Amino acid sequence: MVTVRMNRSRTLIRRYPLVVATVLVGVAFLVLQAAGAGTAADWTGGVYACAVAAKTGAGMIRDIRAGRYGLDILAVIAILSTVVVGEYLAALIIVLMLTGGEALEDYAAGRARRELDALLTRAPQQAHRFPGGNTQRGAVDVPATDVGPGDLLLIRPAEVVPVDGILVSSAADFDESSLTGESLPVGRHAGDPVMSGSVNGARAVLLQATATTADSQYQRIVALVAEAAESKAPVVRLADRFAVPFTVVSLLIASLAWALSGDPVRFAEVLVLATPCPLLIAAPVAFLGGMSRSARTGIIVKGGAVLEQLAKVGTAAFDKTGTLTHGHPELVEVHPQPGFSAEDVLGLAASAEQYSSHVLAAAVQQAAAARGLEPHSAADARETATNGVEAVLDGHSVRVGKERFVAETAPDTRPADLQPGQMVVYIGVDGHFAGTLIMSDAVRDNAAATLHRLAELGIGRTVMLTGDSAATAEAVAAGLGITDVRAGLLPAGKVDAVRTLAPRPVIMVGDGVNDAPVLAVADVGIAMGARGSTAASESADVVLVADDISKVADAVQIGRQTMRVALGSIWLGIALSLALMLTAAFGFIPAVVGALTQELVDLAAILNALRALHGGRQLPGTARETPSAADSVAAARPKPVPRAG
C-alpha cells in the first residue's frame, strides 16, 4: 500500500509540478504566518506568485504573436495586483487556480470521455488458437492480431469474440448488446456468422475465423473511436470569441472601482473574480462529453469541430441506394430480347457481375444461384466505376450495367418501363441488346420519420443525390417528401452538387466507395455503417456504426445539444463572474474570499459542461443506456459496396 501511494505521488509530481509547488509554497506561507514570520511569509508568497506570473506572461506573449488572444492577461494582472496591495494569500490562490487548470481539465475530460475509453480498453488482446486446426493438441494463446482467416479458435465462457468468424460448435448464445443494442442473448447455430465484440455465453465454443482483427467488426469500430478520441475540440475559436470582450469589461469594472473608491485594493478585489482560465475548460469538456455520448449511441464523431458543424447544419443531402433504401435489391422480372432466353440473360449477367462489388451485382448473382445457374469464368473482365462491367465469356463480349454504358456498344438498347421504386440492369452481348433485369429495393421503414425529425431540428432543405435514373429516384423521393432530386450523377457530379448547395453547412449521407469523394467535400460527411465501405468511413466526419438512418437525426441533435451546453457553460461562468465583480467593486468581497469564490464559479461551469454527456431529452430509441459505451454502441453487418445512387 505504501509503495502504491509513493508511486501515485511521484506520478502527480511529474505530471503537475507547478500544482505541487504551489501547494507547498502555500503551506509554507501559512506556517510562516502562524509562526509570526510575516515578512518571510510575504516574501515567499510574493516572489513565487510573481515568478508564475512572469512565466504565464511569457507564454501569453507567444500566443499573442501567434494571433491567439486568451484570458491569461487577466490572471497575470490579478496576481501582480494582489501582490502589490499585499494580498499574498489571494495571489497564491489565483496561482493555484491557474496552475491547477490542467489537472482539473484532465479530471473533467476523463469523466466526459469514459465511454470512448471503455470501448477502447474492452478490445480483446488475445485469442486461443488450435495449431493447424487440430483440437486434440489443445489451444495456444496468441495475440489477437496474429489470427488469420481459417484459424480455429476456442472461445471460453464470458469471453469477447476477438475476430469475425463462423460458429463451428452446434449451438451457442452470444451477447451482442455492444454491437446491436439487443439486450437479450442471441442464439447461433453451426455455420452462422459471429461478429467480433460479441460476448460468449456459458459454454465454450469453437469458431473459425473469417477475418483478421483489423478487418473485423469490433476492431473497425475501435479504430474509428481511437481517431475520434485523439481529435481536438474547436476550443481556441470558441474561447477567442469571448476572451477579448471579457478582458476589456473586467479591466473596465476594476478600473472604475479603483477610481471611484480611491482604493487600489478594490482593483485587485475585482480582478481576482475575473480570472476564469479554468472556466474555458468547460468548452472542451462539453465537446468531449458530446463525442462520448455519440459513441454510446453508435455514432462515431471525429472531433469537436464536427459537433460544432452539426449544430449549425442547414442542408441535408442523401445518397439513395443503401442509404434511403435498404441496399438489398431483389430480382423482380427478366425481360429477354428476341434470340435470348431469360436463363441466357440472367446467367450472362451473373457471370459478368461476379467481377463487380456493386450492390446490384450481388443481387443478380443471388438470383442466378436461386435458379440453379452456375456462373462462368471470364477470359477478361473489368469494371467501370459507377457504370457497369465488361467481360469476355465463352468468346462473347458482354456488357452489364447502366443503359448508357451498354448502349455504347449495343446501339439498339432501349429504356425499360419501370414501376415506382424499381431499378434496371441492362445486358448487351456482342454489340446487341440482350435484355434487362428489373430489380426492386425497398425504402427503409424509418427513412421518412428521420427526414421529419431533421425538419423539426431546423434543417430546412433536404436533397437526394443519386446515380440512378430520374424515374427511379423521383419515385423514391416522392414517397419520402423530398422535392429536390439530382439523378444520373457520377461521383464528380455529386461533388459539384454538394459544393453549390445552400444554406450551409451541408451534411452528406452515403455508404459506398463512390460516396467517399462527396463525403470528403461536404461540410459534414456521414457514412452509414462502419463496415459499409472503408473508403467511405475514412472520408467521413461521422460514422454511423449501425446501419440505421435514424442515427443521422441523432447526430444532429447531439451536435446541437453539445454546442448549447458548451456555450451555456461559458455564459454561466461569465455571468457569475460579472455579478461577483460588480459586488466586489463596492467592497463587499475581500480578495481572499473572491479568489476562493472564483474557484467555485469555475467548478460550476465545468459541472454544467458535463451535462453534454446526457444532453436534454432522451434520444428516440435510446432508452437502454448503460454506464459503459461498450455495452451500447451499435454496429452493422457487412454489406456490398454501391456503384451508384
Side-chain angles (χ1 to χ4, degrees), residues 611-633:
R611 288 174 48 238
L613 274 169
H614 309 289
R617 68 182 183 85
Q618 196 172 35
L619 296 177
T622 58
R624 180 187 174 273
E625 288 190 0
T626 60
S628 169
D631 293 328
S632 54
V633 172

Side-chain angles (χ1 to χ4, degrees), residues 189-507:
H189 299 87
D192 287 347
V194 178
M195 293 181 288
S196 59
S198 303
V199 180
N200 187 25
R203 294 184 299 173
V205 297
L206 299 181
L207 185 83
Q208 185 176 40
T210 57
T212 63
T213 54
D215 294 330
S216 291
Q217 184 85 329
Y218 192 75
Q219 295 293 338
R220 178 61 185 155
I221 299 170
V222 167
L224 292 170
V225 170
E227 180 181 348
E230 293 171 1
S231 64
K232 300 295 183 182
V235 183
V236 174
R237 294 199 305 273
L238 202 57
D240 288 351
R241 199 179 305 169
F242 298 91
V244 174
F246 184 76
T247 300
V248 172
V249 170
S250 300
L251 291 174
L252 180 61
I253 294 174
S255 299
L256 287 174
W258 182 4
L260 295 176
S261 66
D263 184 1
V265 174
R266 199 68 58 81
F267 181 85
E269 290 174 343
V270 171
L271 283 191
V272 296
L273 289 160
T275 53
C277 298
L279 168 63
L280 295 181
I281 297 170
V285 165
F287 283 115
L288 279 172
M291 291 165 58
S292 190
R293 182 187 177 206
S294 297
R296 188 170 65 241
T297 55
I299 303 167
I300 309 302
V301 178
K302 299 180 182 178
V306 177
L307 285 172
E308 187 176 10
Q309 288 286 74
L310 284 170
K312 301 181 292 185
V313 167
T315 302
F318 291 86
D319 176 41
K320 184 183 73 66
T321 305
T323 303
L324 292 171
T325 66
H326 286 287
H328 302 296
E330 295 181 354
L331 178 64
V332 177
E333 296 175 344
V334 180
H335 294 306
Q337 292 297 299
F340 296 92
S341 68
E343 288 74 16
D344 291 337
V345 172
L346 181 56
L348 289 170
S351 298
E353 292 281 40
Q354 65 184 319
Y355 301 100
S356 171
S357 59
H358 185 263
V359 63
L360 290 180
V364 170
Q365 293 175 73
Q366 291 169 5
R371 289 163 173 76
L373 300 177
E374 294 290 335
H376 298 281
S377 297
D380 181 45
R382 60 186 178 88
E383 181 176 22
T384 302
T386 77
N387 282 286
V389 179
E390 185 172 14
V392 178
L393 300 164
D394 297 330
H396 298 285
S397 177
V398 179
R399 275 202 175 199
V400 180
K402 290 184 176 180
E403 178 188 2
R404 63 187 175 205
F405 178 68
V406 173
E408 289 176 359
T409 56
D412 57 335
T413 301
R414 298 190 304 275
D417 185 16
L418 299 177
Q419 299 298 317
Q422 291 183 339
M423 296 169 290
V424 60
V425 176
Y426 293 85
I427 300 96
V429 179
D430 294 331
H432 298 286
F433 180 38
T436 57
L437 304 178
I438 307 301
M439 318 291 291
S440 179
D441 185 14
V443 174
R444 293 177 185 268
D445 295 337
N446 58 352
T450 299
L451 297 178
H452 180 69
R453 276 187 64 201
L454 290 174
E456 288 183 333
L457 289 168
I459 297 180
R461 187 180 185 188
T462 305
V463 183
M464 179 192 291
L465 305 178
T466 177
D468 274 357
S469 65
T472 301
E474 288 172 1
V476 172
L480 296 173
I482 300 176
T483 57
D484 191 346
V485 179
R486 319 283 179 89
L489 298 178
L490 296 176
K494 291 183 180 181
V495 168
D496 293 339
V498 165
R499 282 176 172 161
T500 59
L501 289 177
R504 313 294 296 195
V506 174
I507 61 172

Side-chain angles (χ1 to χ4, degrees), residues 122-128 154-163 174-175 178-179 195-200 207 218-219:
R122 185 177 177 273
Q125 301 299 314
Q126 70 174 14
H128 316 300
L154 171 67
I155 311 297
R156 292 171 179 159
E159 281 191 337
V160 178
V161 178
V163 297
F174 293 92
D175 177 3
S178 63
L179 301 169
M195 293 181 288
S196 59
S198 303
V199 180
N200 187 25
L207 185 83
Y218 192 75
Q219 295 293 338

